[in-house]
Amino acid sequence: MKQVIKGNFAVAQGVRLCRVGVISAYPITPQTTIVEELSEICARGELDAKFIKVESEHSAMAAMVGSSTAGVRSFTATSSQGLLLMHEVLHWAAGARLPIVLSNVNRAVGPGWNIWADQTDSVSQRDTGWVQIYCESNQEVLDSVIMSYKLAEKILLPVMLTYDAFFLSHTSEIVDIPDIEDVDEFLPPYRPEFRLDVDNPRTFGGMIGPDCYYEERYVMHKDSLKVLEHYSDVCSEFHDKFGREYDIAEEYRTDDAELIIVTAGTITSVTRIVVDKLREQGKSVGMMKLRMFRPVPVERWLKVLGTVPKVVVVDRNISAGLGGVFANEVQAVLYNSETRPVIYPVVVGLGGRDVTPDDVEGIINYALENDKPKDVPLFWGLKQ
Amino acid sequence: MEEIRFHGRGGQGAVIGSEVLAHAFFIENKYVQAFPAFGVERRGAPVTAFCRIDEKQINLRNQIYEPDHVVVLDPTLLETIGVTQGLKKNGAVVINSKREPAYYRDLLGDDYRLYVVDAASVAVEHRLGSPSNPIVNTAIVGAFSKATGLVKIESVEQAIEEYVPIKKENNKKAAHAAYERMVEG
């Protein structure tokens, strides 16, 4: 059924449809309305979940570790400082191979205190072992909750799905909410092989020494890479069932492109408009949407970007002392491509600064007009 | 695409108003998008909200800088912030005010279409908010329907029925009353 809902409500609907068994979260703007809506959904009896109130995000993620280890489908949501407070337990959840799903509403990290869109919170969790997915619409947000559980429970790794503060979290748009019967068919109940069970005691997270920790991490890495192949199965199964498709790295009008711009989050939507406009002007430009960021779809990025003369990477995040994180990772992947593209790293829209079609057009034209990047990275729209 | 900008003060319901309007267009099978100017909202402080409608998927995500129409929930804003900033020529300005339209014609000049409705009185009559703090959002959306003809009043009423959580009947009647009482300036 189609409804006009906000991104945060889309997440809550996804959680309901997945029949999540345990929810624990601590409110933080702009995530708060996810928690509010979920507590109402539970109170109305539309979801038979245990809602655990906690005093911090660290405890919320710790509760997830407990409930997921006990074999229950588990969900939490957060933003910014809240995600950072979870950091220690994020590593634990991934290392313990727990298929938790977390939705992170991308918000800038303080100080200065800022509640607006910025991806620095989630990109700074890239080494925790979590799968990371970036969304550009409320429909994609809802569908990604369902796909994330399917993926997480297949490969036994947690999934963080992220989307921009306010540009999606507080924006109402049309979302087709699937029937729960169809979701039941797509996503069977979670039945882990090993779980906390008083009748069948086991040890979880025990000490392992230098003789096997290394191999354990190797296995985790290899399994993380398997997410890439499992994702394409999940994606095609989702498409067959619900008619919508979310490519791991969608190509938009990349045929014969001389320049491809790489974007993540809602800047992607705006870039579609600009690519259409520039194509009409006869400029050979296309876009690659960065949807999955961990594991990195290396082969796919190489295939899409490896032979293009120019690649622009747009980052709404910053690693101080280096620049945008996506640009850095794209550069690393493309270093071994046969015809190494010229890469134009651009940092834009930090702390929720609006990014308009004029901005994106200006960025693309800057790359078209210059044989080499003038600044690495280019800070677009910086006030002097 | 039509782009509509709402100006109000925290507590008047500008954000919900933009969502009700989007819902009404959705009922008429349009693609819609509604969102607030992302700020830290405080009661009484200026609030801006946006609504986009189109025949196809809306990919624009930024704020609205050149609206086709403007809805003003608090008349004092006309004299304190630039509510017509970027407004396209011949765009509609729908104002909640007890004053005569001629007053606003003098204030805003001849570039826009001008519509005035005493949405505050309508709201109070329908027990929406209090006399000192009336909730005028549903009333002024009703007036917007009449002013622009872009969306049917029946769709606005249905949107209120489906979307507004409380006082559905009062809100529907307020929207209808404002639709009837709005005057062109």
Side-chain angles (χ1 to χ4, degrees):
Chain A
M1 185 179 60
K2 284 186 180 171
Q3 283 191 12
V4 181
I5 57 172
K6 298 180 177 76
N8 282 353
F9 285 60
V11 163
Q13 286 300 320
V15 171
R16 176 182 66 81
L17 293 170
C18 292
R19 299 189 191 274
V20 166
V22 172
I23 300 162
S24 184
Y26 190 80
I28 178 171
T29 300
Q31 159 264 34
T32 311
T33 50
I34 303 176
V35 186
E36 287 175 356
E37 181 65 7
L38 279 173
S39 67
E40 297 219 350
I41 285 172
C42 291
R44 286 198 300 262
E46 293 170 15
L47 176 65
D48 183 21
K50 173 87 175 165
F51 195 101
I52 303 174
K53 286 187 274 187
V54 284
E55 83 295 348
S56 77
E57 288 86 354
H58 188 277
S59 298
M61 184 48 65
M64 292 289 99
V65 167
S67 59
S68 189
T69 308
V72 181
R73 191 170 284 157
S74 304
F75 176 83
T76 188
T78 190
S79 284
S80 181
Q81 319 291 132
L83 184 66
L84 305 187
L85 186 54
M86 285 180 178
H87 178 75
E88 180 223 340
V89 202
L90 291 179
H91 276 282
W92 192 276
R97 308 297 302 272
L98 299 170
I100 300 159
V101 172
L102 179 162
S103 79
N104 179 64
V105 186
N106 281 123
R107 162 187 157 174
V109 171
W113 207 233
N114 178 300
I115 59 172
W116 292 275
D118 188 306
Q119 296 154 336
T120 304
D121 55 357
S122 56
V123 295
S124 73
Q125 307 307 313
R126 66 181 180 177
D127 302 332
T128 55
W130 283 61
V131 176
Q132 283 199 14
I133 290 171
Y134 289 77
C135 300
E136 70 162 309
S137 73
N138 291 354
Q139 184 73 58
E140 186 178 5
V141 166
L142 189 154
D143 292 343
S144 294
V145 175
I146 301 167
M147 294 174 79
S148 291
Y149 277 111
K150 182 93 168 181
L151 191 64
E153 291 167 8
K154 257 191 172 178
I155 203 72
L156 295 180
L157 280 171
V159 178
M160 183 183 299
L161 69 96
T162 76
Y163 55 97
D164 290 338
F166 298 105
F167 293 112
L168 290 187
S169 68
H170 287 61
T171 293
S172 300
E173 59 185 16
I174 299 170
V175 175
D176 193 352
I177 302 174
D179 291 335
I180 197 160
E181 293 76 20
D182 290 336
V183 177
D184 284 343
E185 285 173 19
F186 176 80
L187 183 71
Y190 175 47
R191 300 264 184 267
E193 191 179 351
F194 305 107
R195 64 185 185 89
L196 267 183
D197 180 358
V198 288
D199 296 327
N200 184 19
R202 294 175 184 277
T203 300
F204 293 86
M207 177 173 275
I208 52 173
D211 57 325
C212 52
Y213 179 89
Y214 181 28
E215 284 70 25
E216 188 267 333
R217 287 290 136 158
Y218 171 76
V219 169
M220 182 171 152
H221 168 68
K222 294 304 267 188
D223 284 353
S224 180
L225 294 180
K226 283 185 197 161
V227 167
L228 301 171
E229 48 195 273
H230 282 295
Y231 181 82
S232 69
D233 294 343
V234 169
C235 195
S236 58
E237 200 181 327
F238 189 89
H239 177 257
D240 291 345
K241 190 85 195 157
F242 301 101
R244 293 181 292 273
E245 200 163 15
Y246 301 99
D247 203 325
I248 204 162
E250 181 197 332
E251 292 175 67
Y252 186 71
R253 305 190 75 169
T254 52
D255 290 349
D256 307 322
E258 288 171 28
L259 178 151
I260 292 180
I261 180 167
V262 180
T263 62
T266 51
I267 295 174
T268 307
S269 306
V270 176
T271 303
R272 290 178 196 277
I273 298 168
V274 178
V275 167
D276 288 347
K277 180 182 170 185
L278 295 179
R279 280 281 181 178
E280 267 177 42
Q281 293 172 5
K283 293 179 181 172
S284 303
V285 299
M287 180 189 77
M288 188 186 87
K289 167 179 167 175
L290 195 155
R291 174 164 157 83
M292 187 173 287
F293 176 58
R294 276 295 181 279
V296 177
V298 171
E299 294 304 319
R300 189 62 195 283
W301 286 10
L302 272 172
K303 183 168 166 282
V304 178
L305 306 173
T307 57
V308 178
K310 294 181 176 183
V311 172
V312 179
V313 187
V314 175
D315 276 285
R316 188 176 234 153
N317 65 73
I318 187 160
S319 174
L322 178 71
V325 172
F326 296 144
N328 183 244
E329 305 244 339
V330 169
Q331 278 172 321
V333 166
L334 294 185
Y335 189 80
N336 285 327
S337 66
E338 284 170 27
T339 56
R340 213 176 278 162
V342 180
I343 297 180
Y344 299 77
V346 181
V347 174
V348 69
L350 297 183
R353 177 86 50 94
D354 222 358
V355 179
T356 65
D358 286 349
D359 290 322
V360 176
E361 190 176 343
I363 289 165
I364 292 174
N365 283 331
Y366 146 80
L368 287 173
E369 287 158 11
N370 289 284
D371 292 336
K372 296 274 174 197
K374 288 204 290 193
D375 298 297
V376 178
L378 173 71
F379 286 86
W380 182 266
L382 194 66
K383 289 176 185 166
Q384 296 300 325
Chain B
M1 183 187 293
E2 300 277 345
E3 296 186 306
I4 301 136
R5 192 169 66 202
F6 283 66
H7 292 281
R9 291 186 182 274
Q12 289 185 310
V15 176
I16 300 285
S18 70
E19 291 167 4
V20 168
L21 183 59
H23 208 94
F25 279 111
F26 167 64
I27 288 164
E28 296 188 2
N29 294 316
K30 299 286 198 295
Y31 284 90
V32 299
Q33 186 189 70
F35 56 105
F38 316 129
V40 184
E41 285 153 22
R42 292 148 294 151
R43 189 160 288 267
V47 168
T48 310
F50 308 101
C51 181
R52 283 194 176 102
I53 53 167
D54 207 348
E55 303 293 336
K56 57 184 195 313
Q57 173 79 32
I58 298 168
N59 280 325
L60 265 181
R61 293 274 176 204
N62 48 278
Q63 301 192 20
I64 293 171
Y65 299 100
E66 293 179 354
D68 296 285
H69 311 289
V70 166
V71 177
V72 186
L73 282 74
D74 187 319
T76 64
L77 290 169
L78 281 148
E79 288 157 57
T80 51
I81 61 169
V83 298
T84 55
Q85 191 172 15
L87 177 61
K88 288 182 186 148
K89 199 170 162 63
N90 294 324
V93 184
V94 184
I95 304 167
N96 160 36
S97 177
K98 296 183 197 308
R99 288 183 189 269
E100 292 298 316
Y103 175 82
Y104 295 105
R105 183 56 76 195
D106 288 345
L107 193 70
L108 300 176
D110 296 326
D111 285 346
Y112 317 113
R113 289 180 287 139
L114 191 58
Y115 305 91
V116 177
V117 64
D118 184 2
S121 294
V122 170
V124 171
E125 284 167 29
H126 293 86
R127 299 168 189 267
L128 301 170
S130 62
S132 60
N133 187 28
I135 314 289
V136 298
N137 52 3
T138 46
I140 204 149
V141 170
F144 177 88
S145 160
K146 181 75 171 284
T148 63
L150 288 171
V151 63
K152 294 193 194 93
I153 186 66
E154 291 81 10
S155 304
V156 172
E157 289 169 294
Q158 189 184 335
I160 292 168
E161 177 65 34
E162 291 173 5
Y163 189 77
V164 176
I166 53 164
K167 295 191 180 178
K168 290 177 193 287
E169 280 308 311
N170 297 34
N171 277 296
K172 277 155 64 178
K173 284 178 183 161
H176 203 96
Y179 177 89
E180 299 288 349
R181 286 188 218 173
M182 186 216 75
V183 289
E184 188 166 356

